[in-house]
Amino acid sequence: MPICGDCGEYVTRDFIRVFGVDGEVHGCPDCTTYRELYDGGGVDHSSKTRGSQLRAQRKTN
């Protein structure tokens, strides 16, 4: 059963597909807002590749 890496609550596989990276999500509606998720809040920011992508994307917007 897929769970949030932050709070341990159940999340759907589709939720992980949309908001996660490599089959993991580190934020869900139970522990963060959808706005934060949209801005990358579901991503483990220790991941250099995804974190770098998000920062670069924010700079261009």
Side-chain angles (χ1 to χ4, degrees), residues 3-52:
I3 61 170
C4 173
D6 187 42
C7 70
E9 287 296 316
Y10 169 78
V11 292
T12 65
R13 294 189 193 284
D14 287 338
F15 184 87
I16 291 175
R17 179 180 51 80
V18 172
F19 293 107
V21 173
D22 297 328
E24 295 182 2
V25 68
H26 295 275
C28 72
D30 287 335
C31 63
T32 190
T33 66
Y34 275 101
R35 180 64 184 174
E36 291 170 330
L37 289 169
Y38 177 77
D39 288 340
V43 177
D44 180 7
H45 292 289
S46 66
S47 171
K48 291 181 182 178
T49 56
R50 183 64 178 157
S52 298

